[in-house]
Amino acid sequence: IELHGLWTVPAASSIVRALEPYAPYWVEDPVRADLPGGLAHLRGVASGIGSMIAAGETVAGLAGYLPLVADKAIDVATVDLVWCGGITHGLRIAALAESYGLAVAPHDCTGPVALTAATHMSVSVPNALMQETVRASLRTWYQDFLTDLPPIKDGQISPPAGAGLGTALQPDIRTRTGVSTRASAQD
């Protein structure tokens, strides 16, 4: 259940308790990740209904995740490689979460390159629980940008084969009708 961090702690607590008959696997971002004590309180509420708290898709850097992990405020870190600072930071966050016995589930809403990089991360860290995908994007516009996307077969995602991320920008990306490009000034 995705709550997008839009709720107060009392409202989110009521929502989580009301979800008990549905036994959600997790409740994601019930409140803002930077709300002191909010996620930790809600983790207690969620565990009382047999659910988990997942959060962190908009958290930046290792320092942003440290209080969530150290305060036992989350069960699953939803790392977004674009927001957190890139692949290196994502790997550091995954290692931090692992050291506390927590899982990571990389987020996918920031585009096809981010999903491809996150898929590589997901298969390379021992505490990856799952890799989020946005099916509508993966099946439509993501392919307009990259030559290869992470294939999904029988519910399992894999990184594309090949060097680097295993993909490249579509060859005509800069020359398509309706596309304009800009170059920044060089010193």
Side-chain angles (χ1 to χ4, degrees):
I1 303 292
E2 169 65 78
L3 297 180
H4 296 286
L6 298 174
W7 303 94
T8 63
V9 173
S13 295
S14 294
I15 292 167
V16 170
R17 282 191 294 276
L19 291 169
E20 183 173 16
Y22 306 101
Y25 188 65
W26 73 40
V27 178
E28 187 172 343
D29 293 315
V31 295
R32 292 187 343 258
D34 64 345
L35 188 63
L39 287 171
H41 172 79
L42 290 162
R43 184 172 183 235
V45 175
S47 68
I49 69 159
S51 190
M52 297 186 291
I53 292 293
E57 63 192 35
T58 61
V59 174
L62 189 64
Y65 280 89
L66 184 57
L68 299 178
V69 173
D71 295 344
K72 298 181 176 149
I74 60 174
D75 298 289
V76 181
T78 55
V79 179
D80 187 302
L81 294 182
V82 173
W83 283 88
C84 81
I87 295 168
T88 301
H89 285 284
L91 291 170
R92 289 175 182 157
I93 293 161
L96 172 68
E98 182 190 16
S99 73
Y100 281 82
L102 301 177
V104 294
H107 180 244
D108 169 35
C109 273
T110 49
V113 175
L115 171 62
T116 304
T119 302
H120 280 278
M121 183 181 112
S122 289
V123 301
S124 69
V125 298
N127 56 328
L129 180 61
M130 64 182 71
Q131 171 61 59
E132 178 184 30
T133 64
V134 178
R135 291 182 307 268
S137 299
L138 186 60
R139 293 176 181 161
T140 58
W141 69 271
Y142 276 18
Q143 61 196 324
D144 294 341
F145 289 87
L146 297 181
T147 58
D148 296 284
L149 292 168
I152 299 175
K153 184 176 180 185
D154 299 326
Q156 300 292 315
I157 193 166
S158 304
L165 292 179
T167 193
L169 292 174
Q170 290 286 359
D172 68 340
I173 194 92
R174 291 179 181 86
T175 59
R176 291 180 191 162
T177 302
V179 172
S180 62
T181 60
R182 292 184 282 167
S184 59
Q186 300 292 321
D187 290 334

